Amino acid sequence: AIRHRLEEVAAETPAEKIRAPITGEEVMEILGIGPGPRVGDVLHLLMDQVIEGQLGPDDKDKAREMVRRFAE
């Protein structure tokens, strides 16, 4: 099922668009943390949401809200 969804997203979305809508710097600012593995973990979670169609690759506001919820 995941592989099928990945194929659908790849067909619908150019590869350069399959990324987290916000940067690591923004993640660090929202969470009040410095560089480290947690930033990468959050970015991967956001990218998973893009792949699953739950988050648009350009939806920065929703991504910021998701990061805030991850932090709770």
Side-chain angles (χ1 to χ4, degrees):
I2 295 289
R3 185 176 306 276
H4 180 70
R5 181 64 187 141
L6 283 171
E7 290 169 2
E8 286 177 350
V9 170
E12 298 167 0
T13 309
E16 62 273 7
K17 285 288 191 176
I18 301 177
R19 57 173 172 68
I22 60 176
T23 65
E25 286 86 15
E26 289 173 287
V27 170
M28 290 185 288
E29 183 178 321
I30 292 166
L31 297 179
I33 61 173
R38 185 161 184 219
V39 176
D41 292 344
V42 170
L43 290 173
H44 284 275
L45 287 170
L46 293 173
M47 193 163 16
D48 287 345
Q49 295 297 304
V50 171
I51 290 168
E52 292 173 9
Q54 303 298 315
L55 177 64
D58 297 314
D59 194 346
K60 291 179 177 287
D61 290 336
K62 186 173 180 181
R64 289 181 188 112
E65 182 57 35
M66 291 176 128
V67 171
R68 287 184 194 96
R69 278 188 274 138
F70 291 149
E72 294 177 352

